[in-house]
Amino acid sequence: MHTAREKFGSRMAVIAALAGSAIGLGNIWRFPYLVGENGGAAFIVIYIVFTLLLSLPIFLAESVLGRSSGANCRVAVSSLVKGRWGHLPGLLMVFTPLWIVSYYSVVGGWSLEYLVQAVRLDFIHTAPADVTGSFGTFISKPFAPLFFHLAFLAVTLGVVALGVKSGIEKFSKWSIPTLFVIIVLIAVYSLTLPGSAKGVEYLLKPDFSKVTVHTFISALGQSFYSLSLGMGIVITYSSYVSKEENLMVAGMGSSVSDLLFAILAGFAILPAVFAAGIEPGSGPTLIFDTLPFIFSSIGQNTPVISAVVSILFFLAILIAALTSSISLVEVGVAYLTETKGFSRVGACVLLFVGCGLFGGLCSLSFGPLADVHIAGLGLFDFADSFASNILLVLGGLIVVILVGWVLPGQELFKELTNNGTLGANVKLYPVVRFLIRYVAPVGILILVLSSIL
Ligand code: PFF
């Protein structure tokens, strides 16, 4: 069954949607910390090199597969795999983002709840000492986190239900510029705080003594994760890209936006963390414990500024999480509507129930289900580690092998150079092809080995 396919309306729309998928919690709670821990500017250089040599080629491989097939991820991937089990790799790549969005929207729910707290001026009205630890109390409650998880998922699916152009494109086109404006404003404010210079030093000062083998693996993993690779998103979004679009330019635009946002997030967060005399960490505690503590401390002297900054900050986190979760569910919606005959709204309702239930269990794993363990991990942590260590790398490997070794060379050339009409791309083509065929699979194997060993 084939429904008429929508297309993104312009290059800006393509880049906004792909950057929206890439810019997410990973940029805000992981990248700045990794940079500081791994030698500042030295890490950023390594990260850029890996993005150019590995992540961007995989990104382009996914783009080629998506646009050349003009179909959802299951059809796009399976069209290159023959045999009785040929549908399985495609199905896996539809399953991965749905698995991920289930627990990603638990965190999205936390950011929604924290935005509500910021709007209610809770951080300002609470003493800094009382703010610390309130995150642990909140996530271990049974109902509130569950409610916000479902609310976040409902907003995500609400946008997707509106369609590719009226939903995803419109949302990305206003939200990505808004995100950049907010993060720049916060960074400017953060840099004015006394003691903020130490944060800039932490973020930028090249320190090669901190560069170890682990640094390279972290840079590789973060660049892969941040560009949302291996989970069918780039394949699905690229199937909505017109044949006239320059895939290399769109890929560069999205990855540069992603890197820029990650660095700006570092400037927004770390100077304030150092100004407050706190050691930076990564993950949920940085966002939901450390920063509310800072908002509360600042709020004791300058309540209005603290209120504005805290509202803007949690709004930014919410938007960043939403544009990523939208891209995650679109993979499943495209599959259900095109291959299984669902209406868009019907597919969204089904995913709300499925991801709502699984994510609900992950949410409860911080409270009533804390004793349930799989492979020694709580449900949320298991879901995250299974996705990051197994599903994503498997997805990445499937794509580079299929595009590098199974897809006919002329098809790859045609998509990357628009039938040989883009001169610069024609020149770059042999390099990109080499990177997709040889460098990318080796890089992914290194990621697999590093997670096993
Ligand atoms: N690339 C986005 C981020 O950095 O947050 C989205 C994302 C990546 C979501 C990987 C989930 C994931 F496992």
Side-chain angles (χ1 to χ4, degrees), residues 404-438:
W405 296 91
V406 181
L407 186 79
Q410 342 50 306
E411 193 61 25
L412 185 65
F413 178 80
K414 199 173 106 195
E415 287 298 335
L416 287 177
T417 64
N418 291 5
N419 271 327
T421 56
L422 303 167
N425 296 24
V426 172
K427 284 204 187 101
L428 276 173
Y429 172 74
V431 180
V432 175
R433 180 158 191 257
F434 177 81
L435 293 173
I436 294 176
R437 281 165 73 91
Y438 299 100

Side-chain angles (χ1 to χ4, degrees), residues 21-22 24-27 100 103-104 225-226 228 231 324 328 392:
S21 148
L25 297 164
N27 303 54
I100 292 176
Y103 69 85
Y104 201 78
Y225 180 95
S226 196
S228 300
M231 47 183 125
S324 296
L328 286 161
L392 293 188

Side-chain angles (χ1 to χ4, degrees), residues 121-132 289-303 306-307 310 314:
L121 308 181
D122 285 0
F123 306 127
I124 292 149
H125 293 143
T126 314
D130 296 333
V131 168
T132 314
D289 246 339
T290 311
L291 291 169
F293 173 83
I294 295 172
F295 294 136
S296 168
S297 312
I298 298 171
Q300 306 305 307
N301 298 321
T302 48
S306 176
S310 61
F314 284 110

Side-chain angles (χ1 to χ4, degrees), residues 24 97-98 224 259 273 278 281 296 298 328 386 408 434:
L98 298 180
F224 186 88
L259 174 66
V273 170
I278 304 171
S296 168
I298 298 171
L328 286 161
F386 183 61
F434 177 81

